[in-house]
Amino acid sequence: MHYYQFNIADYRSATVHLSNEEDLAYRRLLDMYYDMETKIPLDTQWIARRIRVDAEVIKNVLSDMFEQHEDGWFHARCQETIEHYHAMAEKNRA
């Protein structure tokens, strides 16, 4: 996906407890999730290099804002948005 709807109020209320660096990491992780259209990989060093944020900050944000699965870090709202996007794309193709 190259576009997703961003609700400022929802984001602000969900992230009010994050530091500036954690907030930056979270936004970049969301962008990564939407861009890849799949879970965030478990390799935090790889993620740190891709989004240019310290690995320790990434670990904190992932454990706070995402759900760890065996195959990656899951975010329910992102996944729901991606599934809706694919459903609409399929409907438009038909």
Side-chain angles (χ1 to χ4, degrees), residues 31-67:
D31 289 347
M32 177 182 273
Y33 201 111
Y34 284 120
D35 186 44
M36 295 186 332
E37 296 185 11
T38 190
K39 297 173 187 163
I40 301 292
L42 296 172
D43 183 357
T44 52
Q45 292 300 321
W46 181 86
I47 298 166
R49 298 234 344 119
R50 296 309 179 279
I51 68 170
R52 301 174 320 276
V53 176
D54 184 71
E56 206 52 45
V57 173
I58 292 168
K59 287 178 188 176
N60 292 340
V61 172
L62 286 170
S63 65
D64 187 26
M65 308 298 280
F66 291 77
E67 183 180 316

